[in-house]
Amino acid sequence: MASMLNVLVIGAGEINFGSVEGPWNHTLRLERILGPRLRVVGLIDVDETRATAALAPKLESESQATRAAWSACRLFATVADAALALSPEQIPQIAVVGAPPFARGGDVPGRDLEQQLVSAFPGCALFVEKPVSSGPEDVCWRVAKVLEDSRAIVGVGYMLRYLKAVQMMKKIITENSLVVMGTNARYVMAYEYARKPAWWDKTRSGGPIVEQATHFCDLSRYFGGNVVLPSVVAHVVQHSESPGQLSAKRFDEDAIPEENRLPRLTSATWKYTGGAVGSLTHVIALHGTTYDTEFEVYADGYHFKLVDPYSTPKLYIRRPGTAELETHIFTDDDPFHTELATFIDVVDGRRPSGDIMSSYADAIRTYELTWAIRRAGERSAVGYT
């Protein structure tokens, strides 16, 4: 059997431990991928109560393998605490960075998780959740330089790139030497169970484009290429406007200053450096728990339409010479599993680093696009008030 792999988990929140809102749960995937190889050496979170609550089900699991994987896990408030307490045999080979974006992507104390980790644990690979930060984009580039100089293996959690449907689209485009003409992304959120006030405050979460639609902005760039950022144009429906009134909120939005509340709809367009055009519509509108998401790519003779990528992806393809649509349904595809399995294979030396589909630098370019959309929407809103 391969050797044990020491993992340090940063953040006791939903991306690492799951929620009712979506399929994310990094620790569950780690357990499935690594099995008896997994040894979680620490969980870092400033909220000890939340960390204790996240750890308890692992230690009480019906699965012996899960209990064993977490049996040595210790709780820490900071990276420095972990560095002081962990023995040489417990030094992590992988850190899963799922702390909120305000704690990372920066170079000042309290926002510099990546730099703390590469300093405390040289050689530790970092799997960083999206978005890379909630702070200034230029600072993120300084962090990227630190990570590059550290020679650490780094991947960012844009898991939709790993979908079988997305890779099928890429393969067809490559095999037919297609030049992408345009992309169109549509993300309609079911908001009823989004109860965390911090998510609804754009000064804390970054807002719905920076924090949530970032996945579709990333897919757009994955197919369209880099964006001419000054070309971004956006319009929004504000929370205060008649179309922006929501009836199924399960929290008190009045506690959030009006200027910090989220737009209900954002519609944006932009130009890619290669000449193609991109568009995105993000809407906070649906009740219940089921989102409505689609992503399209256009090229000469071809139309690709990806539907429901977060659940059961369906890919519809129209090819030259026919109006009939090919339909491909992917019933057993877990991109969270694939991205983490790929990352672990790279750490283990079984795959080249280029198999990690989202580098830190590339993720910053997606981050820049999301901020360009947010700022364009805010500028247009001022113009109509």
Side-chain angles (χ1 to χ4, degrees), residues 202-258:
K202 64 184 179 182
T203 64
R204 301 175 67 185
S205 67
I209 305 301
V210 173
E211 193 279 336
Q212 189 176 75
T214 183
H215 279 298
F216 272 33
C217 290
D218 188 71
L219 266 189
S220 299
R221 288 190 53 257
Y222 191 50
F223 286 94
N226 288 331
V227 174
V228 181
L229 294 178
S231 73
V232 175
V233 177
H235 295 283
V236 299
V237 172
Q238 294 281 67
H239 69 90
S240 56
E241 296 179 290
S242 179
Q245 304 305 304
L246 301 179
S247 62
K249 290 181 296 185
R250 297 196 178 201
F251 76 105
D252 181 13
E253 195 175 21
D254 291 340
I256 300 173
E258 288 196 13

Side-chain angles (χ1 to χ4, degrees), residues 10 15 97-107 110-114 128-135 139-140 143 156 360 367:
I10 319 293
I15 188 64
V97 185
F102 62 76
R104 42 193 171 81
D107 57 1
R111 301 187 65 98
D112 59 343
L113 259 176
E114 297 88 351
V128 182
E129 209 21 74
K130 62 78 199 168
V132 291
S133 182
S134 62
V139 177
C140 295
V143 175
V156 180
Y360 195 85
Y367 185 59

Side-chain angles (χ1 to χ4, degrees), residues 148-315:
E148 181 183 1
D149 291 345
S150 76
R151 304 182 69 83
I153 296 170
V154 182
V156 180
Y158 282 112
M159 79 289 176
L160 295 184
R161 295 190 178 203
Y162 294 83
L163 282 171
K164 294 176 182 176
V166 167
Q167 291 306 307
M168 177 180 283
M169 293 164 68
K170 273 285 190 182
K171 183 179 180 182
I172 293 171
I173 289 170
T174 300
E175 289 178 344
N176 291 277
S177 302
L178 301 179
V179 178
V180 171
M181 185 182 299
T183 65
N184 179 38
R186 185 173 64 82
Y187 192 118
V188 188
M189 176 193 178
Y191 70 87
E192 187 174 356
Y193 292 93
R195 303 175 184 177
K196 293 187 296 185
W199 188 84
W200 293 85
D201 183 338
K202 64 184 179 182
T203 64
R204 301 175 67 185
S205 67
I209 305 301
V210 173
E211 193 279 336
Q212 189 176 75
T214 183
H215 279 298
F216 272 33
C217 290
D218 188 71
L219 266 189
S220 299
R221 288 190 53 257
Y222 191 50
F223 286 94
N226 288 331
V227 174
V228 181
L229 294 178
S231 73
V232 175
V233 177
H235 295 283
V236 299
V237 172
Q238 294 281 67
H239 69 90
S240 56
E241 296 179 290
S242 179
Q245 304 305 304
L246 301 179
S247 62
K249 290 181 296 185
R250 297 196 178 201
F251 76 105
D252 181 13
E253 195 175 21
D254 291 340
I256 300 173
E258 288 196 13
E259 64 272 19
N260 297 347
R261 297 179 194 175
L262 303 187
R264 308 318 196 197
L265 183 148
T266 300
S267 177
T269 59
W270 58 84
K271 190 82 169 174
Y272 293 106
T273 57
V277 170
S279 64
L280 166 74
T281 299
H282 180 280
V283 195
I284 302 173
L286 300 180
H287 298 179
T289 60
T290 304
Y291 290 26
D292 184 357
T293 54
E294 296 182 358
F295 177 73
E296 297 175 291
V297 176
Y298 313 103
D300 182 30
Y302 287 82
H303 175 208
F304 304 89
K305 184 176 183 179
L306 174 62
V307 177
D308 197 19
Y310 290 94
S311 181
T312 302
K314 304 173 188 66
L315 177 59

Side-chain angles (χ1 to χ4, degrees), residues 6 248 299 362:
N6 292 341
D362 195 60

